[in-house]
């Protein structure tokens, strides 16, 4: 196995001012549900970011066109004003045009007015009107009676303290970090029913690190808030590539979450195709002809009501008809259907997907293995997810496991047991560290033969490469624990005979002490008139 270099641990718990901002914003929530408040806060953060980016460009244009020493100097005030307020000056540099009534300075000036809700709604409408790519995705419910306008004004003042978009902060992806942090905190606050769209960052990072999406089409048919795409772009940049080298395709069935994804990607300037509207990938596949080079996804676990009864003859079910009561194997086959001839998919599923034999799932899993599609299985530690305590795993499937990019892996599957990895962020949530992610992904890269990844070797208790023959003997169950075995016991160097002599003597002393204590108890009970 390739040995990972130790890296500085980074977790969501040690980010920075995001935690302070969240604590302050959460205090203003009052009695509002987290699911509802989420759109209030994230919409304002988005608006502040757009306005800050615009104001920075506006200021630079004003300085250039107003300075007589500048080659851009325009003497006539009216002409100068017209150029500075020309939307094309901003759009040409991928900066959204923000009309006056939507600029943060105007909104904050009016934050204490009773009609602040309508002012914010009008700002959202104005931005959508002047920026077609944002049409119908911004929240516009700030004027509703149930929203405390005094609290809204306080929230605006709070967010107004942040400069989210100067050039230095953009280089650090400050808005992305704030946005991501708030999404994770809202997922935690919403609990079991509200956070199904949010995949913890460490899980996304693990998927991305393992499939290494450098160049090509990246697809997520249940994209939630778009985290898979963001991490894919970060991966390309971190490894010296250009973010334009990958094309983003996605789909999301929840209308409000679809809007969050659009906002999340727009914040970072990531080009994408999430369809013209929200839609269910099973019932209405918006990218039916897409063949993706990489698929990254975290579909809803054990989804019951997915419409399977109306899709019995669907072309996607090449390896068996998924059961009506569980969409796990429908998702797997949907992913495979959309893979290019050399594509690879990495996705999260409930642990039951590795071993279930109910309603034909075992037969489908057998067919997938015999078709030589399953590349790697990773068992994850518990308590990673905000929305569920269901144990989860990672699947990796590849269309062509004998292609020239890596070694020929036909007839083999890599199993990784990562259940003991991670650190506790708090009493209920665990996170994989950067070192954990590097060890998992480095093991996979070494096994599949990535250039420079080092030599792979089985590590008892952690990873093992198993043949299809061996897997068949286990009834085509894909639980890593069956294959990796127990970790090797630490050898302390003490000869066995000496160790047994020492332990026997120690046990003898403990037994003598036990007999003495028994006698003391008998005496004490006898003194009280009781016989043992």
């Amino acid at each position: 196995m390739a040995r990972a270099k130790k890296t500085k641990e980074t977790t969501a718990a040690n980010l920075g001012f995001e935690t302070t901002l969240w604590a302050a914003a959460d205090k203003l929530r009052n009695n509002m549900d987290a699911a509802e408040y989420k759109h209030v806060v994230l919409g304002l953060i988005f608006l502040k970011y757009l306005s800050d980016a615009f104001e920075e460009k506006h200021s630079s244009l004003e300085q250039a066109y107003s300075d007589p020493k500048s080659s851009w100097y325009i003497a006539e005030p009216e002409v100068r004003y017209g150029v500075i307020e020309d939307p094309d000056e901003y759009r040409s540099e991928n900066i959204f045009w923000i009309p006056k009534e939507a600029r943060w300075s105007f909104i904050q000036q009016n934050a204490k007015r009773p009609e602040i809700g309508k002012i914010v709604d009008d700002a959202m409408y104005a931005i959508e009107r002047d920026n077609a790519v944002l049409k119908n995705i911004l929240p516009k419910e700030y004027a509703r009676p149930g929203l405390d306008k005094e609290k809204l004004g306080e929230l605006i003042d709070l967010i107004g303290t942040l400069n989210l978009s100067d050039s230095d902060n953009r280089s650090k992806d400050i808005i992305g970090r704030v946005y991501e942090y708030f999404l994770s905190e809202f997922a935690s606050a919403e609990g079991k029913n509200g956070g199904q769209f949010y995949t913890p960052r460490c899980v996304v990072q693990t998927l991305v690190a393992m499939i290494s999406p450098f160049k090509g089409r990246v697809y997520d048919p249940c994209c939630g808030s778009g985290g898979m795409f963001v991490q894919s772009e970060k991966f390309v940049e971190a490894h010296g590539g250009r973010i334009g080298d990958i094309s983003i395709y996605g789909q999301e069935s929840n209308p409000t979450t679809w809007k969050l994804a659009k906002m999340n990607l727009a914040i970072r300037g990531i080009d994408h195709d999430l369809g013209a509207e929200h839609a269910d990938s099973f019932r209405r596949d918006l990218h039916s002809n897409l063949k993706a080079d990489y698929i990254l996804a975290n579909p809803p676990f054990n989804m019951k009501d997915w419409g399977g009864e109306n899709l019995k003859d669907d072309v996607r079910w090449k390896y068996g008809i998924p059961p009506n009561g569980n969409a796990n194997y429908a998702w797997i086959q949907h992913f495979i259907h959309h893979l290019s001839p050399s594509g690879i998919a990495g996705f999260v599923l409930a642990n039951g997907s590795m071993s279930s034999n109910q309603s034909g799932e075992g037969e489908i899993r057998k067919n997938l293995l015999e078709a030589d599609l399953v590349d790697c299985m990773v068992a994850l530690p518990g308590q990673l997810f905000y929305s569920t305590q269901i144990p989860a795993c990672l699947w990796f499937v590849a269309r062509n496991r004998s292609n020239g990019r890596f070694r020929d892996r036909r007839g083999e599957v890599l199993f990784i047991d990562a259940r003991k990895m991670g650190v506790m962020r708090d009493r209920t949530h665990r996170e994989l560290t950067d070192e954990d992610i590097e060890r998992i992904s480095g093991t996979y890269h070494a096994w599949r033969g990535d250039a420079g990844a080092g030599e792979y070797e089985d590590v008892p208790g952690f990873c093992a490469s198993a043949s299809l023959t061996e897997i068949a003997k286990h009834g085509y169950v894909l639980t890593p624990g069956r294959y990796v075995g127990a970790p090797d016991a630490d050898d302390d160097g003490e000869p066995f005979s000496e160790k047994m002599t020492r332990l026997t003597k120690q046990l003898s002393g403990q037994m003598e002490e036990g007999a003495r204590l028994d006698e003391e108890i008998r005496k004490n009970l006898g003194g009280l008139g009781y016989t043992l």
Side-chain angles (χ1 to χ4, degrees), residues 1 414 416 438-447 456 462-463:
M1 169 189 120
L414 175 65
I416 298 176
E438 192 169 342
R439 186 185 183 198
I440 294 168
S441 60
T443 299
Y444 179 52
H445 295 161
W447 175 80
Y456 169 81
F462 176 67
C463 64

Side-chain angles (χ1 to χ4, degrees), residues 344-419:
I344 182 170
F347 47 91
V348 190
L349 282 179
N351 271 4
S353 63
M354 298 188 290
S355 59
S356 172
N357 288 312
Q358 296 180 353
S359 305
E361 288 180 327
E363 190 64 25
I364 299 174
R365 187 170 57 251
K366 174 184 175 182
N367 293 337
L368 295 174
L369 285 160
E370 292 184 343
D372 220 23
L373 291 164
V374 181
D375 208 36
C376 176
M377 300 296 302
V378 180
L380 294 173
Q383 297 178 282
L384 290 177
F385 291 82
Y386 297 101
S387 54
T388 181
Q389 293 301 313
I390 298 174
C393 61
L394 304 181
W395 285 65
F396 295 88
V397 300
R399 272 283 191 191
N400 183 358
R401 302 207 297 145
S402 62
N403 60 28
R405 289 180 61 199
F406 312 113
R407 73 176 182 87
D408 189 339
R409 301 162 338 264
R410 287 177 293 181
E412 303 173 52
V413 176
L414 175 65
F415 292 93
I416 298 176
D417 191 345
R419 289 177 297 173

